[in-house]
Amino acid sequence: MSLPSLSLMSSDHTHATSRGQVVGVHNLSSIYRVPPMLEHQGIISICQRRLGLPVALPAASVMGPWRILAERYEQMTKSVRIALVGKYTSMEDSYCSVVKSLWHSCLRAGRKLDLVWIEATDLEEPTLHSSPEAYHTAWSKLVGCSGVHVPGGFGNRGITGMVAAARWARTKRIPYLGVCLGMQVAVIGEH
């Protein structure tokens, strides 16, 4: 079934909307394709009518920059491998804003993000004795990265591993970004 027919069917079978007020957002090749698709479906005029906005529609599409961004994203072939060394790596949503920031930064730099999640405690000496495989895997992941990011966190768990990652990045001259606690552990690692 086509998108226009699905939109009509949806508006016909609900009491909340009338025809012409339903837009479809299906899976696309990138999130940057969504705004132009919505513009094509008339979302600007729908919002103007519904919200009573006295704004004239632009004569030409305002989505040119979005289309360029989408093309740029889809044509990237080179990637950059960044380690995210944190305390909450088992709950990736904890770092959602960090991941999106890294993703957008990579887009600006013309690189695809290859994010490597590393649990900070796995880089610590006690892990070498309690779980040697986890320790060596974590260090192997870290040394295979072109950059290291240590985000914020609370409490002292994982601090030693974060300090070790910051120290390794500094001594190997690998780009390091420490935010909040990540910057503090970089300073701790200096002494």
Side-chain angles (χ1 to χ4, degrees), residues 51-175:
L51 300 173
L53 299 174
V55 179
L57 282 173
S61 171
V62 296
M63 292 295 143
W66 282 104
R67 286 185 182 89
I68 291 168
L69 198 57
E71 293 297 324
R72 183 177 183 178
Y73 172 76
E74 291 169 358
Q75 293 174 1
M76 289 188 301
T77 56
K78 295 181 181 177
S79 63
V80 63
R81 191 176 191 108
I82 304 293
L84 190 149
V85 180
K87 297 173 167 234
Y88 317 116
T89 58
S90 63
M91 300 176 291
E92 293 179 6
D93 283 353
S94 298
Y95 298 115
C96 185
S97 61
V98 169
V99 172
K100 294 296 181 193
S101 296
L102 291 171
W103 193 69
H104 288 292
S105 297
C106 285
L107 177 61
R108 180 72 174 125
R111 300 284 190 267
K112 289 186 179 186
L113 176 62
D114 179 7
L115 190 60
V116 178
W117 296 86
I118 301 173
E119 178 61 41
T121 55
D122 289 347
L123 298 171
E124 296 177 346
E125 182 101 11
T127 305
L128 174 61
H129 305 295
S130 65
S131 181
E133 185 179 346
Y135 178 84
H136 292 295
T137 299
W139 276 102
S140 177
K141 287 180 181 180
L142 184 64
V143 300
C145 291
S146 302
V148 178
H149 174 59
V150 177
F154 301 96
N156 60 6
R157 184 181 68 80
I159 297 286
T160 306
M162 291 176 175
V163 169
R167 185 177 293 126
W168 175 82
R170 187 183 68 256
T171 59
K172 299 299 181 185
R173 302 182 63 80
I174 301 293

